[in-house]
């Protein structure tokens, strides 16, 4: 096949099959419809957030190149996104409370709703029909039709009459369910949207007194546990979602701040926790350590000293390596340790203000954004060689379309 004769970067997108060849092939098929051009799949694409310009860079992870820019996304200073099941659409949650629907093949914003005053993320349902945004102002979550962005449900995080909590740690669950934490109410809620229609309220299951100030959370890769970090006290809150009657259990008491409060320069992102084999590798709040936790017992079994306060602690897809970036003043570094030896095997300095890392689906490369160096650097994870350096304006989050097939992303 030969590239379609369009100007770059769109030329890299479309690959046309010559009409004459198709005519010959199909001439023996009575009633065959006219052939349409073949369109490149989206499986090796991704988006990089350019936080100061309210734009996205579309990237190809196989060719390690920029495909084009998508503008008009508003305030992306703390933005994240999720993908439709086919990877053709991204749903972008802006800090200004806007939810935008972006079509990757055409590099266009195809839908946008101003759904709150302050939003910090969202999730998409297991079947891809519903998109949920978690909001600080007003506190709660809103659920939208993924096709039209029409509002399905508004779920205020009202924990006392007239009092709403900021919502954090939103994640999808099997079934038409979402789970999230209420930072100001010390609660975790599950919303079940099974069978509801627009305007109906979902069934809510509420867990109270889960621990002080749950600030972020994740669901383990098998979908069994929801783990919320606690900012206001030592330890974490765990919900066993497979239990007949789920309840909250406190785990890892004393792991984070220790006996005396330590300054925290940037809160760790729990979505960056690494689960590799039987162990989880967690950022220790305020400490220059990564905790090693047995996921069978949820007991600490080791600590790994690192260069600074860890923010993202992320496992290569095969689980053999864990990559760590840090809060100020060490945010120009990335360290890599081996999960078998638990030893640091590489320290990298890709640029100023490392904000995010994203592995290609099979882990042969990792993409690292450096906000103040205005670039994304791609490293070979086997030998740590630089494979590409791509220019971007204040890049932050990196999101590959492979996330579309993973729960909790």
């Amino acid at each position: 096949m030969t590239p379609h004769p369009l100007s770059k970067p769109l030329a890299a997108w479309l690959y046309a099959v010559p009409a004459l060849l198709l005519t010959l092939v199909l001439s023996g098929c009575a009633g065959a419809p006219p052939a349409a051009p073949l369109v490149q799949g989206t499986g090796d694409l991704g988006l990089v957030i350019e936080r100061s310009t309210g734009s996205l860079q579309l990237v190809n992870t196989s060719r390690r190149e920029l495909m084009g820019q998508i503008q008009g996304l508003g305030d992306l200073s703390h933005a994240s996104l999720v993908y439709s099941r086919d990877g053709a659409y991204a749903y972008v949650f802006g800090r200004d409370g806007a939810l935008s629907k972006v079509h990757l093949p055409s590099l266009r914003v195809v839908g946008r709703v101003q759904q709150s005053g302050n939003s910090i993320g969202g999730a998409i349902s297991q079947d891809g029909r519903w998109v949920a945004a978690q909001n600080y102002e007003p506190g709660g979550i809103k659920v939208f039709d993924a096709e039209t962005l029409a509002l399905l449900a508004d779920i205020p995080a009202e924990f006392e009459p007239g009092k709403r909590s900021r919502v954090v740690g939103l994640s999808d669950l099997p079934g038409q369910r979402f789970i999230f934490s209420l930072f100001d109410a010390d609660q975790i809620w599950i919303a079940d949207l099974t069978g509801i229609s627009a305007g109906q309220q979902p069934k809510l299951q509420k867990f109270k007194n889960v621990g002080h100030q749950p600030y972020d959370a994740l669901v383990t890769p098998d979908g069994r546990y929801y783990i919320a970090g606690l900012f206001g006290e030592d330890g974490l809150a765990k919900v066993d979602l497979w239990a007949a009657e789920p309840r909250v259990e406190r785990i890892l008491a004393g792991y984070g701040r220790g006996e005396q409060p330590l300054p925290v320069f940037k809160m760790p992102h729990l979505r960056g926790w690494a689960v590799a084999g039987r162990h989880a590798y967690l950022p220790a709040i305020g400490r220059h350590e990564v905790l090693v936790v047995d996921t069978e017992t949820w007991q600490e079994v080791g600590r790994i000293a690192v260069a600074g306060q860890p923010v993202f602690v992320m496992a290569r897809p095969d689980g053999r390596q864990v990559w760590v970036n840090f809060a100020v003043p060490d945010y120009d570094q990335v360290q890599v340790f081996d999960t078998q030896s638990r030893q640091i095997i590489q320290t990298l300095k890709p640029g100023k203000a490392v904000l995010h890392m994203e592995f290609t689906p099979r882990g042969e490369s990792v993409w690292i954004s450096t906000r103040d160096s205005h670039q994304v650097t791609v490293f070979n994870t086997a030998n740590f060689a630089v494979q590409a350096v791509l220019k971007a304006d204040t890049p932050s989050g990196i999101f590959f379309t492979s996330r579309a097939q993973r729960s909790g992303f």
Side-chain angles (χ1 to χ4, degrees):
M1 293 186 292
T2 58
H4 192 281
L6 294 177
S7 59
K8 292 184 177 180
L10 293 182
W13 268 97
L14 302 176
Y15 292 87
V17 177
L20 178 59
L21 177 59
L22 280 176
T23 300
L24 293 173
V25 171
L26 298 174
S27 60
C29 303
L38 299 179
V39 179
Q40 176 181 310
T42 59
D44 63 350
L45 302 179
L47 291 167
V48 177
I49 291 172
E50 296 181 304
R51 57 185 292 150
S52 67
T53 57
S55 56
L56 305 171
Q57 285 284 353
L58 180 68
V59 299
N60 184 293
T61 66
S62 296
R63 295 194 293 271
R64 306 186 194 105
E65 65 184 20
L66 302 176
M67 305 293 293
Q69 188 183 59
I70 305 169
Q71 299 179 330
L73 278 299
D75 183 354
L76 299 185
S77 58
H78 193 291
S80 65
L81 59 87
V82 294
Y83 287 103
S84 60
R85 286 161 64 104
D86 61 1
Y89 295 93
Y91 302 89
V92 184
F93 308 95
R95 190 60 186 256
D96 55 6
L99 168 61
S100 302
K101 183 178 180 179
V102 172
H103 186 232
L104 276 66
S106 64
L107 298 171
R108 292 191 304 120
V109 177
V110 296
R112 185 172 170 86
V113 292
Q114 188 66 44
Q115 59 88 32
S116 76
N118 189 337
S119 181
I120 62 163
I124 189 166
S125 63
Q126 184 181 38
D127 65 0
R129 293 175 58 201
W130 313 123
V131 175
Q134 65 179 17
N135 296 319
Y136 271 10
E137 180 59 41
I141 72 169
K142 290 184 179 180
V143 185
F144 300 86
D145 185 299
E147 180 67 26
T148 65
L149 297 189
L151 181 66
L152 174 72
D154 184 354
I155 308 171
E158 187 172 23
F159 60 97
E160 292 180 7
K163 291 185 178 181
R164 287 193 181 190
S165 171
R166 289 167 286 181
V167 169
V168 295
L170 174 66
S171 180
D172 61 287
L173 294 178
Q176 298 296 85
R177 298 183 300 160
F178 294 99
I179 188 169
F180 52 97
S181 295
L182 280 62
F183 178 84
D184 303 296
D186 302 342
Q187 297 183 22
I188 294 170
W189 290 8
I190 297 176
D192 188 344
L193 281 72
T194 303
I196 75 166
S197 56
Q200 295 180 321
Q201 285 299 101
K203 179 182 178 181
L204 296 175
Q205 183 176 15
K206 301 179 180 180
F207 304 94
K208 299 182 179 181
N209 301 315
V210 302
H212 193 39
Q213 296 178 325
Y215 70 90
D216 197 5
L218 61 75
V219 174
T220 54
D222 60 5
R224 178 167 184 174
Y225 297 108
Y226 179 78
I227 310 290
L230 302 175
F231 185 67
E233 63 180 79
D234 286 339
L236 302 95
K238 174 176 71 72
V239 182
D240 185 348
L241 300 166
W242 291 4
E245 297 183 4
R247 61 184 180 84
V248 175
E249 178 186 356
R250 306 285 181 86
I251 59 173
L252 298 176
Y255 91 92
R257 296 176 181 272
E259 295 180 358
Q260 295 183 357
L262 300 173
V264 178
F265 299 114
K266 183 176 176 64
M267 288 303 297
H269 285 260
L270 273 66
R271 292 295 173 92
W273 285 12
V275 178
R278 180 169 171 166
H279 295 108
Y281 300 86
L282 317 181
I285 296 177
R287 294 184 177 276
H288 294 195
E289 294 175 326
V290 172
L291 308 180
V292 185
V293 177
D294 186 325
T295 58
E296 293 292 326
T297 63
W298 293 102
Q299 298 294 315
E300 180 184 328
V301 295
R303 297 196 178 201
I304 300 169
V306 291
Q309 292 184 9
V311 177
F312 282 102
V313 177
M314 303 180 70
R316 197 172 69 179
D318 65 357
R320 183 60 190 269
Q321 294 175 353
V322 169
W323 291 56
V324 187
N325 74 317
F326 306 102
V328 293
D330 306 295
Y331 67 162
D332 63 336
Q333 298 185 62
V334 173
Q335 288 193 311
V336 186
F337 63 81
D338 179 87
T339 56
Q340 297 298 296
S341 67
R342 299 181 186 172
Q343 298 296 312
I344 301 294
I345 58 174
Q346 188 71 30
T347 298
L348 303 169
K349 292 193 174 184
K352 298 178 181 178
V354 174
L355 291 192
H356 198 231
M357 303 175 288
E358 181 86 335
F359 290 96
T360 50
R362 299 194 182 190
E364 77 283 354
S365 299
V366 64
W367 293 47
I368 300 177
S369 64
T370 47
R371 182 194 63 202
D372 296 351
S373 294
H374 300 283
Q375 66 187 32
V376 175
T377 306
V378 184
F379 288 93
N380 183 314
T381 61
N383 59 20
F384 309 108
V386 174
Q387 296 176 308
V389 177
L390 307 176
K391 293 300 180 182
D393 196 333
T394 58
S396 55
I398 305 172
F399 303 89
F400 295 158
T401 55
S402 54
R403 288 171 171 249
Q405 312 309 323
R406 301 168 65 186
S407 179
F409 281 84

